[in-house]
Amino acid sequence: QEAKCAYIVIIMAVYWCTEVIPLAITSLMPAVFFPLLGVQSSKSVCSQYLNNTNMLFVGGLIVALSVEQWNLHKRIALKVLLILGVKPPLLMLGFMIVTAFLSMWISNTATTAMMIPIVQAVLEQMDSTDFDVTMMEQAAGQTNTVIEMEEKNASDPTSVPVISNGQIPDDHRSSEEKKTRERICKGMMLCVCYAASIGGTATLTGTGPNVVLKGQMDQLYPDNNDVVNFASWFGFAFPNMILMLVLAWFWLQCSFMGFNLKKSWGCGTERTAKEKAAYDVLKTEMKKLGPISYAEFNVLLMFVSLVLLWFSRHPGFVKGWAARLFPGGEKYITDSAPAVFIALLLFILPANKPRFRCWKPRVSDPEQAEEDIKPDLTAPLLDWNVVQRKMPWSIVLLLGGGFALADASAHSGLSAWLGRQMTPLGSIPPWAIASVLSLIIAVFTECTSNVATATLFLPVFSSMAASVKIHPLYVMLPSTLSASFAFMLPVATPPNAIVFSYGHVRVWDMVKTGVVMNIIGVFCVTLAINMWGRPLFNLDTFPDWANSTINQ
């Protein structure tokens, strides 16, 4: 049984890594081969493809699609950028904060696709304004002033990058100034895709690997007392995200702009023409959105309600609403229930303010009178055609295939066999095991899908933790976060590919910046798991629910 299961796991691992057929289609292989080889029945395998965790993911994605549909994410992004300011280092910080916040709730790919055109427009406007100022001064005969200004800009680490589309002549700019601008342009572009990957780690539904961990914990340890839920994950991963974001900003600023504290913050200094131009672009984009609409307000209300329901369901330190309002609620209600409930409401609540017209009917026009007493029917906040078109169904199947693998590995005895082979690792300190595994995953995920990486490795790490008697989350949590650290290659994750497609960043730029980003990521995760992860999840003990699972 173990060998049969291992055979299918190896075949799927090779297919996932090489992508000889689509990832989602590879994920369907357990539904065919496990029953044929006698590993598990079709009924057992197929029930994994839309289990509790997948329903949580689907519900969260539907709410995210409604935010995208009504451009609420763009309004939030522009508002934050206008507040933070437009000095290049602050602008970079603003782009990173907004991207990370949005990717906590909507997909990393959608966040990057929305942010990159804003970055492009701001940088183009700043550059064309700088060029206009230069030309005006030259026309006025202020040649010496221009030379001084160019020399200053060439040595100024906070200058803004050139985005040359063949429209701006190069003869008025020194080669050093152009290089500086190109460097800063690269930094601005890379900060968005990196912030999207970092931000997705902060919430349970933010990115695929997080959902894989939740599903596999429930699969491998059914009596785990809901140890990984939305609130506990957020308590662990959100501080880690903040730390990573700050260190990433410092690294990108030092790499592409140089670090000058006075010029970075520049409190009280007057805005340059370029900064005013950037601010005007953001204001113009904000004006295009107009005042907040009834639909946007409703979507925002639904979004906030879902987050509050997730946090207050089972906070841990007090009784949540699930236990207070429903008998046995803690046993029956999981995070998927509020996610699907809010998703249902999005298809019911109207997109326009409903008006009910009713007045005394006129005798002369009975048909008009009948029409007047009917309410104005309006479209709902979300249409099924939009969901069908935009929902990443491939990820849903990919998660399902992973859960089917984990379930079969546990029931066939493959997990237990792998655990026995790893018993010698018990002599190594747990923190060292966690750090090494995080590094391995961070390297492996550069070449493979993040979700596929987590799906393949988490059951193995779970078996290893059980065999050496350490808390399963001690190795599974850092590994899950590391699966999102795909910073080095354009093919590693969709946000990287989007940024690369704009043509400002070369592969080598991404590799040399991404290496340090991976080191920052592994360092932060190691720090997080050993500092606040230990007391939060009681990682110094080997839990009874893990012990009872082994005995079974």
Side-chain angles (χ1 to χ4, degrees):
Q1 289 291 89
E2 297 97 315
K4 289 174 183 176
C5 184
Y7 173 69
I8 300 301
V9 171
I10 291 166
I11 293 290
M12 289 180 69
V14 172
Y15 278 25
W16 270 335
C17 293
T18 55
E19 294 189 47
V20 286
I21 58 175
L23 295 177
I25 302 304
T26 302
S27 305
L28 294 173
M29 289 174 74
V32 179
F33 292 107
F34 283 158
L36 289 179
L37 294 175
V39 177
Q40 266 192 315
S41 69
S42 291
K43 187 177 178 182
S44 300
V45 176
C46 293
S47 64
Q48 302 303 324
Y49 281 84
L50 209 57
N51 60 14
N52 166 59
T53 308
N54 244 338
M55 288 306 292
L56 165 66
F57 191 60
V58 168
L61 281 175
I62 290 174
V63 176
L65 288 176
S66 70
V67 172
E68 289 178 46
Q69 171 79 359
W70 293 102
N71 263 340
L72 186 61
H73 58 326
K74 191 171 184 180
R75 187 181 293 278
I76 294 167
L78 292 170
K79 192 71 180 170
V80 173
L81 289 170
L82 285 169
I83 291 168
L84 279 174
V86 288
K87 287 188 176 296
L90 289 179
L91 199 59
M92 179 185 273
L93 182 62
F95 284 139
M96 291 182 78
I97 289 172
V98 169
T99 307
F101 174 76
L102 291 175
S103 66
M104 285 164 61
W105 315 105
I106 65 177
S107 81
N108 301 354
T109 309
T111 305
T112 308
M114 187 271 297
M115 287 298 295
I116 286 294
I118 297 175
V119 176
Q120 178 93 341
V122 168
L123 294 176
E124 280 181 347
Q125 186 60 43
M126 290 167 81
D127 184 66
S128 63
T129 304
D130 183 50
F131 177 71
D132 291 343
V133 169
T134 307
M135 291 298 289
M136 282 169 61
E137 289 178 340
Q138 285 183 346
Q142 298 175 346
T143 312
N144 293 335
T145 312
V146 173
I147 292 167
E148 287 171 11
M149 189 178 79
E150 285 183 351
E151 287 173 354
K152 183 183 176 185
N153 282 347
S155 61
D156 184 358
T158 62
S159 55
V160 181
V162 162
I163 301 180
S164 64
N165 293 324
Q167 299 170 354
I168 300 172
D170 293 331
D171 53 340
H172 295 290
R173 303 172 190 272
S174 70
S175 59
E176 278 193 29
E177 185 183 355
K178 282 190 291 180
K179 283 179 184 175
T180 304
R181 288 162 186 264
E182 283 167 6
R183 275 205 313 273
I184 297 170
C185 176
K186 289 172 184 176
M188 290 286 191
M189 288 288 177
L190 285 172
C191 81
V192 173
C193 63
Y194 289 167
S197 295
I198 293 168
T201 63
T203 57
L204 194 55
T205 55
T207 189
N210 306 358
V211 186
V212 172
L213 173 72
K214 167 67 177 164
Q216 296 206 356
M217 282 295 293
D218 293 345
Q219 197 72 263
L220 301 169
Y221 306 106
D223 303 321
N224 68 40
N225 304 321
D226 199 25
V227 65
V228 177
N229 56 40
F230 193 89
S232 65
W233 177 274
F234 190 83
F236 169 71
F238 184 72
N240 179 71
M241 183 206 80
I242 297 291
L243 179 62
M244 269 198 76
L245 210 60
V246 171
L247 292 178
W249 176 65
F250 273 115
W251 166 237
L252 288 171
Q253 197 182 334
C254 291
S255 300
F256 296 102
M257 297 183 184
F259 189 70
N260 187 318
L261 196 61
K262 187 178 177 183
K263 288 180 181 177
S264 296
W265 299 96
C267 299
T269 57
E270 195 176 335
R271 279 183 187 160
T272 64
K274 291 180 287 184
E275 288 165 5
K276 285 176 184 173
Y279 190 79
D280 289 341
V281 169
L282 296 174
K283 277 183 77 174
T284 306
E285 289 293 318
M286 193 72 176
K287 277 181 185 175
K288 283 181 190 174
L289 293 176
I292 189 165
S293 65
Y294 179 79
E296 281 180 89
F297 179 76
N298 266 351
V299 168
L300 181 62
L301 191 65
M302 290 296 99
F303 172 71
V304 172
S305 302
L306 176 59
V307 174
L308 291 175
L309 285 170
W310 270 338
F311 274 114
S312 56
R313 181 186 67 84
H314 182 53
F317 53 91
V318 290
K319 261 191 176 185
W321 59 263
R324 287 180 183 277
L325 301 179
F326 303 95
E330 283 185 352
K331 183 181 175 184
Y332 291 106
I333 299 169
T334 64
D335 283 330
S336 62
V340 177
F341 172 65
I342 296 294
L344 288 172
L345 288 181
L346 291 169
F347 290 93
I348 298 168
L349 294 175
N352 298 312
K353 202 169 185 180
R355 292 172 298 170
F356 195 89
R357 298 178 298 177
C358 181
W359 53 76
K360 193 174 180 180
R362 290 174 292 179
V363 180
S364 59
D365 193 358
E367 287 184 10
Q368 180 64 37
E370 190 180 341
E371 190 68 29
D372 284 344
I373 61 172
K374 289 180 181 177
D376 282 345
L377 298 176
T378 181
L381 288 170
L382 200 55
D383 182 53
W384 176 248
N385 290 330
V386 175
V387 175
Q388 200 170 7
R389 191 172 68 252
K390 292 188 173 181
M391 174 74 81
W393 299 108
S394 58
I395 301 294
V396 176
L397 287 175
L398 192 56
L399 289 170
F403 298 149
L405 276 187
D407 191 48
S409 297
H411 284 89
S412 68
L414 177 62
S415 293
W417 180 84
L418 283 170
R420 288 194 296 273
Q421 310 312 308
M422 296 179 182
T423 310
L425 290 173
S427 58
I428 302 172
W431 66 266
I433 296 175
S435 301
V436 171
L437 294 182
S438 298
L439 198 57
I440 291 168
I441 293 290
V443 172
F444 195 83
T445 196
E446 298 291 349
C447 315
T448 328
S449 153
N450 300 357
V451 177
T453 303
T455 301
L456 287 171
F457 282 99
L458 288 183
V460 177
F461 294 164
S462 160
S463 305
M464 186 210 69
S467 68
V468 299
K469 297 289 183 186
I470 62 173
H471 199 297
L473 286 176
Y474 207 137
V475 288
M476 292 172 81
L477 275 174
S479 303
T480 303
L481 289 176
S482 298
S484 295
F485 298 161
F487 300 125
M488 286 173 59
L489 297 172
V491 295
T493 188
N496 292 12
I498 291 170
V499 166
F500 185 74
S501 69
Y502 274 75
H504 304 300
V505 178
R506 295 172 303 164
V507 175
W508 176 241
D509 296 321
M510 201 171 270
V511 169
K512 65 183 182 184
T513 313
V515 167
V516 179
M517 286 296 300
N518 273 353
I519 293 167
I520 288 172
V522 172
F523 166 75
C524 290
V525 165
T526 306
L527 195 68
I529 198 72
N530 288 295
M531 285 189 67
W532 57 88
R534 274 184 168 179
L536 189 62
F537 295 106
N538 294 319
L539 298 182
D540 290 325
T541 60
F542 186 68
D544 292 336
W545 46 261
N547 208 20
S548 61
T549 308
I550 295 165
N551 294 334
Q552 286 172 7

